[in-house]
Amino acid sequence: MTSEPGRCVGGHRGEERDPGWKSWEEEPSSQLDLPGNEWQLKDTGVVSLEAVGQDSPVTNETRLKTGGAAGRKAAVVQKKGTEETERDSLMMELTGLVQKVVRESSWWERQGIDCSILLSAFLSLPAGFLLLGSSQALVFAMGVLLMGTAHAIITVKGTHLASHGALSESRAWGGFWAVFFIEVCGSFPAKAGIEAHVKLHHAHTNVIGLGDSSTWRIPFLPRYVYLFLAPLAVPVLTPLVALGLLKEHAPGLALRTGCLMALGLYSQYWLLLHISGFQSSGSALLCMLLCRALFSLPYIHVNIFQHIGLAMFSPHRRPKRIYQMTHGVLNLPRNPLLDWTFGHSLINCHVEHHLFPFLSDHMCLKVKPIVSQYLREKQLPYHEDTYLSRLRLFFDKYPELMVFAPPITDLVGIQ
């Protein structure tokens, strides 16, 4: 593994790994890489100054004076290109600030803290199974709470970080953790999960028909049912949806995914029967449902609160990345329970996460003051609201937000 003691992800022995983005020091400032995979970099819109004629010795004034109609047209094109570059430079400047923080951070900050939280969840499972075997109601309730919390940490925080490759700087280990957390623990195909979350939701955040969070809308459900009852069915619906998605996979991949999903589900079922001492299959399955549904309500709420109701964009007139993310993403305040179970990137650092999706939860929290200060200095939105405020908003305006098609936002002077 590595020469660093206690490290829970892969690496090379005796080598100090770069914090994930190895080409930063080698790239010119006008071509600065953003945190993410190749597909994300293509979507950021970062271009070189030369690509828009910024360094051309022929100025706009010269073209206007000497070029006639053609010169005026060229001047307009160059001016537009200059404005595009100025907007791109905001993202590059912010990336440079974040890059500096990441380079100066230790492995423990970059990944170790989040790995230790996930490890603590796994270590708490034996105690949870033992508590669930008690005949005393209070002790059994403690077992449900412990098992449900551990399950939320593993299947929400763990799968989310694994889908972004944030648990390891090694591509091979990143793939392993993605399959383990998403398929074995989360009962969902890793390929489908990554494509839906990373390649659609993140690449096309709040773009109508692509990453507009429409998958969370169920228009025929009344507000009471959707907000307070339907989320409890998530543990049952997740593997059922997964089975439907396996039809789109190659036979070998579908077989592997199906086996790993079955392994994860059957392992918990077997342990409830043989460690907790449940006497019937029905009682064991009911306990699985209870533990897995413990955090289903806030899971659904968080997923809709932080995007729906904010700016939505046309796929043909989408703004640059920094405007797209700052107008279409919202942070919730710090919450000790949700920060621990879901992770900072899903709760109080969601804006930072969408700007830099391959940062771990702790690193999102660390760069939060820098990002928030920079956006406010540049007079860009930095949306924040409380959980209860968003819940009231969605309850009061449920048809507008969750039933009818969202209006398209046109950022005048930006697009």
Side-chain angles (χ1 to χ4, degrees):
M1 296 289 284
T2 68
S3 57
E4 295 184 44
R7 190 163 182 167
C8 66
V9 293
H12 297 293
R13 184 177 298 277
E15 177 185 353
E16 178 64 27
R17 299 299 303 277
D18 180 271
W21 313 314
K22 305 174 182 61
S23 60
W24 262 347
E25 294 87 348
E26 302 166 1
E27 294 288 340
S29 59
S30 60
Q31 296 276 3
L32 188 62
D33 279 356
L34 299 179
N37 285 335
E38 292 180 3
W39 65 267
Q40 280 188 309
L41 299 179
K42 293 177 182 177
D43 187 61
T44 58
V46 173
V47 295
S48 65
L49 300 179
E50 292 81 1
V52 293
Q54 178 83 353
D55 293 334
S56 171
V58 182
T59 64
N60 282 348
E61 183 179 0
T62 303
R63 287 194 173 103
L64 287 170
K65 288 181 178 179
T66 63
R72 286 192 293 274
K73 183 177 180 180
V76 171
V77 171
Q78 186 185 30
K79 182 179 179 181
K80 183 178 179 181
T82 301
E83 292 171 351
E84 291 278 337
T85 304
E86 289 173 354
R87 293 196 290 268
D88 290 331
S89 67
L90 292 176
M91 190 67 210
M92 290 190 291
E93 184 179 3
L94 178 57
T95 301
L97 297 175
V98 172
Q99 164 204 359
K100 184 176 183 295
V101 175
V102 173
R103 272 207 305 253
E104 293 173 352
S105 300
S106 64
W107 172 85
W108 175 251
E109 292 179 299
R110 295 196 306 270
Q111 291 158 333
I113 292 175
D114 291 298
C115 285
S116 66
I117 293 174
L118 292 172
L119 180 61
S120 69
F122 282 106
L123 293 177
S124 70
L125 292 177
F129 282 110
L130 292 175
L131 291 173
L132 288 173
S134 174
S135 58
Q136 299 180 15
L138 181 60
V139 177
F140 178 81
M142 291 175 58
V144 171
L145 179 61
L146 182 59
M147 183 68 69
T149 303
H151 180 267
I153 294 172
I154 294 167
T155 60
V156 180
K157 179 185 177 73
T159 57
H160 185 235
L161 291 176
S163 70
H164 286 286
L167 292 176
S168 176
E169 293 157 12
S170 161
R171 183 173 182 177
W173 275 102
F176 170 81
W177 292 125
V179 170
F180 173 74
F181 278 102
I182 301 175
E183 296 187 355
V184 179
C185 303
S187 305
F188 202 80
K191 182 176 182 291
I194 292 173
E195 286 181 352
H197 181 70
V198 180
K199 296 187 178 182
L200 264 182
H201 174 64
H202 272 273
H204 309 286
T205 301
N206 286 31
V207 175
I208 299 295
L210 294 172
D212 58 359
S213 300
S214 58
T215 54
W216 298 105
R217 290 187 172 93
I218 310 178
F220 62 85
L221 289 181
R223 70 188 73 193
Y224 292 98
V225 175
Y226 181 90
L227 291 173
F228 304 111
L229 293 177
L232 300 177
V234 168
V236 177
L237 294 176
T238 299
L240 294 179
V241 172
L243 290 176
L245 293 173
L246 290 182
K247 299 176 183 177
E248 304 172 7
H249 288 48
L253 181 59
L255 179 62
R256 184 210 72 183
T257 301
C259 290
L260 291 178
M261 289 169 50
L263 173 64
L265 291 168
Y266 185 75
S267 296
Q268 185 179 17
Y269 169 76
W270 188 91
L271 290 169
L272 286 172
L273 290 177
H274 294 84
I275 302 299
S276 302
F278 282 82
Q279 300 300 313
S280 68
S281 299
S283 60
L285 292 173
L286 186 61
C287 183
M288 285 179 63
L289 176 62
L290 181 62
C291 294
R292 288 170 175 251
L294 192 62
F295 285 86
S296 291
L297 262 69
Y299 174 74
I300 294 297
H301 292 169
V302 165
N303 275 284
I304 63 175
F305 289 173
Q306 295 181 313
H307 294 285
I308 296 176
L310 301 175
M312 293 284 173
F313 308 106
S314 165
H316 307 295
R317 285 180 59 79
R318 57 193 296 169
K320 291 295 182 182
R321 180 181 180 83
I322 194 167
Y323 294 100
Q324 178 185 352
M325 301 307 171
T326 54
H327 283 81
V329 185
L330 174 141
N331 282 346
L332 296 171
R334 292 291 299 270
N335 181 299
L337 182 59
L338 295 183
D339 287 349
W340 185 265
T341 52
F342 291 1
H344 298 295
S345 60
L346 288 178
I347 305 299
N348 64 302
C349 300
H350 205 53
V351 174
E352 290 75 11
H353 171 63
H354 269 262
L355 287 168
F356 305 102
F358 281 74
L359 291 180
S360 65
D361 286 334
H362 179 75
M363 286 307 302
C364 282
L365 183 64
K366 187 173 182 179
V367 303
K368 179 183 174 74
I370 296 171
V371 173
S372 60
Q373 180 181 355
Y374 180 85
L375 296 180
R376 289 178 174 127
E377 286 177 354
K378 301 301 180 182
Q379 297 183 340
L380 290 169
Y382 190 77
H383 296 299
E384 295 179 298
D385 201 0
T386 66
Y387 189 103
L388 290 179
S389 174
R390 297 299 286 178
L391 183 59
R392 282 194 295 268
L393 174 68
F394 274 75
F395 186 84
D396 294 337
K397 297 186 176 182
Y398 182 80
E400 176 185 337
L401 297 174
M402 301 301 295
V403 178
F404 304 125
I408 295 176
T409 303
D410 196 19
L411 300 179
V412 178
I414 292 179
Q415 284 155 299

